Amino acid sequence: MDGVIVALDIGSSKVCVAAGKLDKNKKVQILGTTSFETFGVKSGVITDIDNVSDAISNAVYKLEQLIDEKINDVVISIPQNICDLVENKGIVAVSSEDKEITQNEIEKVIKAAKMINVPSGYEIVDVIPDQFIVDGYNNIKEPLGMSGSKLEVDAKILLCQTTILNNIFKAVNKASLKVIDIIFEPVAISNSTLYKDERVIGCMVIDVGYDVTKIIIIKDDKIKYLNNINIAGVNISNDLSYCFKISSTEAEKIKLKYSNAYLGAQNYIRVVNKNGQEIEVPFKDLIDIMSARVEEILYLVRDKVAAEGFLDDISSIVIVGGGISQFNYIETLGRNIFNKIIRIGTTEFVGANNPEFSTVVGTIKTYCKVISSNYVTSNEEGNVYSKSKSRVEETNVENKIGIVKKVKEIFKDFF
């Protein structure tokens, strides 16, 4: 794959993949996106490795046919609801004679920020710098080349349970793929869906997945707040299944089919009940049931954010997710509940602007920032990676090293 980057997002109802690359002007191009259903994930945790591995293989095969490329390596996103964030500071002295900050100092200060007590059974997955500080001057995004005597960093340390990482790697490896990097999902989503001014002024992303709704608040171009609620898209399907006496599969199908329809378009719709009989149900009832659950989700988000004191920090709201973002009334409901600007989050790329691909597109954009930076290297096979990111070891599927040891090796050279 000459310069092609493939991103993988393992969700609770589907696996999404996307391929992209940097053009000659260092701009990201998205070459294609695909997805495949899975039932082997619950709330971000893999519960059936074989099913997830098969879904990954099928999604990647579809993408290979689309871009006419063989895929061997992937960059994976890791969801926030299976991670913990710990804030820490790193401080180093600038050692060069001319007091110019080099990549060596940046690596050292990030390494210093990693010096925390990691709970038993957890691993450091990523380090997200909030700001660099040079001789007391803060809010510096890129200190490379600046002059100073002391370099500091305020950073968020991303932790994940080793067992959860083990199963992610096993599922990807079983699909005959290698992980070359890991990107934190909130970073990916914000990079793909938020405008620059939104990231500075303050914006909340509501990511309504299959079984978890994730809350992300970005302000001053930093992650300010993360949280989750365990009510999401599947609850809408369950409501329809219960009220109309239809199967969960039929409920999911009509939810996706009619979520973008408006009242008045039709009086009745036909559904198949649990006895296999085709019946008519009032279209208004369908919209009322879905609206009630969507409204509940938005109220729960509002109340949780308000209780934590972050509601006044946001000026706008962006909603992403494969199903609920298609619901025609969600922007109206959102404005009534939050009294703020609200929109559906889509990417800038034609053909990849479906909200369900926000994470994989953002994963590619985030990874491209890494490989287009000044400090990159490549191995003998030509695979490019950055030492300023968590470098994932190139391990064979049949490698005899235990998975726990492998994950530790993956992150030992971080920064």
Side-chain angles (χ1 to χ4, degrees), residues 289-354:
I289 293 167
M290 291 195 292
S291 296
R293 184 63 78 171
V294 170
E295 194 171 355
E296 180 193 18
I297 292 171
L298 295 179
Y299 269 117
L300 286 171
V301 171
R302 188 199 66 178
D303 293 347
K304 188 176 283 286
V305 171
E308 297 288 342
F310 286 97
L311 195 58
D312 291 337
D313 286 341
I314 60 177
S315 62
S316 61
I317 298 168
V318 173
I319 298 177
V320 298
I324 199 170
S325 60
Q326 308 298 318
F327 185 58
N328 263 335
Y329 302 92
I330 195 166
E331 291 177 271
T332 301
L333 287 173
R335 281 192 293 269
N336 292 338
I337 292 168
F338 289 96
N339 194 29
K340 295 181 184 291
I341 299 169
I342 190 165
R343 67 177 178 86
I344 303 303
T346 58
T347 74
E348 63 190 282
F349 303 99
V350 177
N353 55 3
N354 188 315

Side-chain angles (χ1 to χ4, degrees), residues 79-93:
Q80 68 190 57
N81 55 303
I82 62 171
C83 296
D84 291 328
L85 280 182
V86 177
E87 294 187 355
N88 201 31
K89 178 184 284 288
I91 305 173
V92 297

Side-chain angles (χ1 to χ4, degrees), residues 173-189:
N173 288 344
K174 197 167 184 179
S176 300
L177 297 166
K178 291 182 289 186
V179 178
I180 59 172
D181 209 345
I182 296 173
I183 303 296
F184 192 33
E185 184 183 60
V187 175
I189 291 175

Side-chain angles (χ1 to χ4, degrees), residues 34-143:
T34 63
S35 64
F36 199 88
E37 291 184 353
T38 181
F39 57 78
V41 181
K42 186 174 182 180
S43 299
V45 177
I46 293 178
T47 57
D48 187 332
I49 288 177
D50 289 338
N51 177 265
V52 173
S53 179
D54 288 343
I56 293 171
S57 296
N58 282 303
V60 168
Y61 176 76
K62 289 168 62 179
L63 186 61
E64 286 176 334
Q65 303 306 302
L66 187 64
I67 67 173
D68 195 25
E69 292 270 5
K70 176 63 178 173
I71 296 171
N72 300 306
D73 309 320
V74 292
V75 180
I76 63 172
S77 62
I78 187 164
Q80 68 190 57
N81 55 303
I82 62 171
C83 296
D84 291 328
L85 280 182
V86 177
E87 294 187 355
N88 201 31
K89 178 184 284 288
I91 305 173
V92 297
V94 179
S95 57
S96 59
E97 290 185 6
D98 59 1
K99 297 301 180 183
E100 182 175 309
I101 297 171
T102 66
Q103 190 66 38
N104 186 47
E105 274 83 28
I106 296 175
E107 289 180 49
K108 286 180 179 179
V109 78
I110 294 295
K111 188 174 182 179
K114 288 175 58 183
M115 297 297 113
I116 63 171
N117 291 322
V118 179
S120 177
Y122 279 77
E123 302 284 348
I124 294 179
V125 178
D126 205 348
V127 176
I128 306 170
D130 278 338
Q131 66 171 345
F132 291 94
I133 304 167
V134 178
D135 290 350
Y137 293 96
N138 58 10
N139 291 321
I140 296 171
K141 289 295 181 183
E142 179 52 76

Side-chain angles (χ1 to χ4, degrees), residues 174 290 380 407 412:
K174 197 167 184 179
M290 291 195 292
E380 294 84 357
V407 174
K412 73 176 184 180

